[in-house]
Amino acid sequence: MSIATAMIPTGFSIITIGTPGRAAPAWNTRLRWPPQGDAHVVLDSSARRGIWAAQLDAAVMRADRTVVLVAEGVGCHAASWWARLSPASYVSRVAGALLFDPPTVDDQADGAYASPSITLPFPSIVLAEHAPQVADATIASWGSRLIDGRRQRHGEPRAWQSAQRLIGRLTNRVVERDVARILALNPNARP
């Protein structure tokens, strides 16, 4: 096992969203994560988005830990569409998302993944190698934090540090949610 593989968070189920026919995904080339996470959902066509959403629902519900979504390109818009329109029981299992290089809305599969402009129900980071092509309005509507890959002096290490901070925040959120659930079930329990 490589050092980079060892740094993949083990407290989460990583669900990757990919497109067919692509070379290595961005998270593999930039962060040295494996091409596929604990589950991999292929986004093959906007015409089949309902089937894709059902596959993502199933992957999230099968996860044995809290989920982190990792998507690239149009998959970022698809993940946003899914998060905004899926039942809360599915989405509540997601602690956060890492979104690599989302295209502008104009470029995203003829707007097939357009969704209400509400903040995603979990924290997210957009890691963009080509930030000017990513619409600020899209990132703002997701409630995401942008990491502009062009401004990184040392490239991958800085992006990886930002990803690690996100994972730390997600971990804190999971712990807070678990404590809240315990207190809801047993009001006499100490936090």
Side-chain angles (χ1 to χ4, degrees), residues 97-100 123-127 144-147 162-163 166 169:
L98 296 174
L99 306 170
F100 290 85
S124 59
I125 287 183
V126 172
L127 295 128
S144 298
R145 179 171 169 234
L146 173 65
I147 296 175
S162 295
L166 170 67
R169 285 198 312 271

Side-chain angles (χ1 to χ4, degrees):
M1 174 168 50
S2 73
I3 292 172
T5 303
M7 290 192 291
I8 295 173
T10 57
F12 299 100
S13 287
I14 305 295
I15 297 179
T16 54
I17 299 168
T19 53
R22 298 246 356 195
W27 58 84
N28 177 258
T29 56
R30 291 188 211 155
L31 301 179
R32 305 293 185 250
W33 281 7
Q36 298 184 358
D38 298 312
H40 183 70
V41 182
V42 177
L43 182 66
D44 60 356
S45 156
S46 61
R48 297 172 36 113
R49 69 182 181 187
I51 294 169
W52 173 82
Q55 291 170 340
L56 184 55
D57 289 345
V60 167
M61 295 311 286
R62 275 193 313 267
D64 59 350
R65 298 173 303 237
T66 303
V67 171
V68 172
L69 297 177
V70 180
E72 178 182 21
V74 173
C76 300
H77 290 282
S80 167
W81 171 81
W82 175 86
R84 290 170 166 173
L85 299 175
S86 289
S89 60
Y90 296 157
V91 177
S92 67
R93 296 182 53 112
V94 177
L98 296 174
L99 306 170
F100 290 85
D101 300 324
T104 61
V105 175
D106 296 337
D107 294 339
Q108 62 125 335
D110 63 26
Y113 298 102
S115 58
S117 291
I118 56 174
T119 302
L120 296 179
F122 43 74
S124 59
I125 287 183
V126 172
L127 295 128
E129 192 70 30
H130 310 289
Q133 296 177 1
V134 180
D136 288 337
T138 298
I139 293 169
S141 78
W142 289 345
S144 298
R145 179 171 169 234
L146 173 65
I147 296 175
D148 182 348
R150 296 171 310 126
R151 294 185 190 156
Q152 306 301 328
R153 290 186 184 172
H154 304 292
E156 294 168 12
R158 187 115 184 241
W160 174 240
Q161 290 168 354
S162 295
Q164 285 178 316
R165 283 193 298 273
L166 170 67
I167 291 164
R169 285 198 312 271
L170 298 178
T171 303
N172 290 338
R173 183 173 175 217
V174 169
V175 170
E176 289 171 5
R177 185 170 49 193
D178 288 348
V179 168
R181 286 180 181 166
I182 290 169
L183 291 175
L185 294 172
N186 183 1
N188 297 326
R190 289 185 172 178

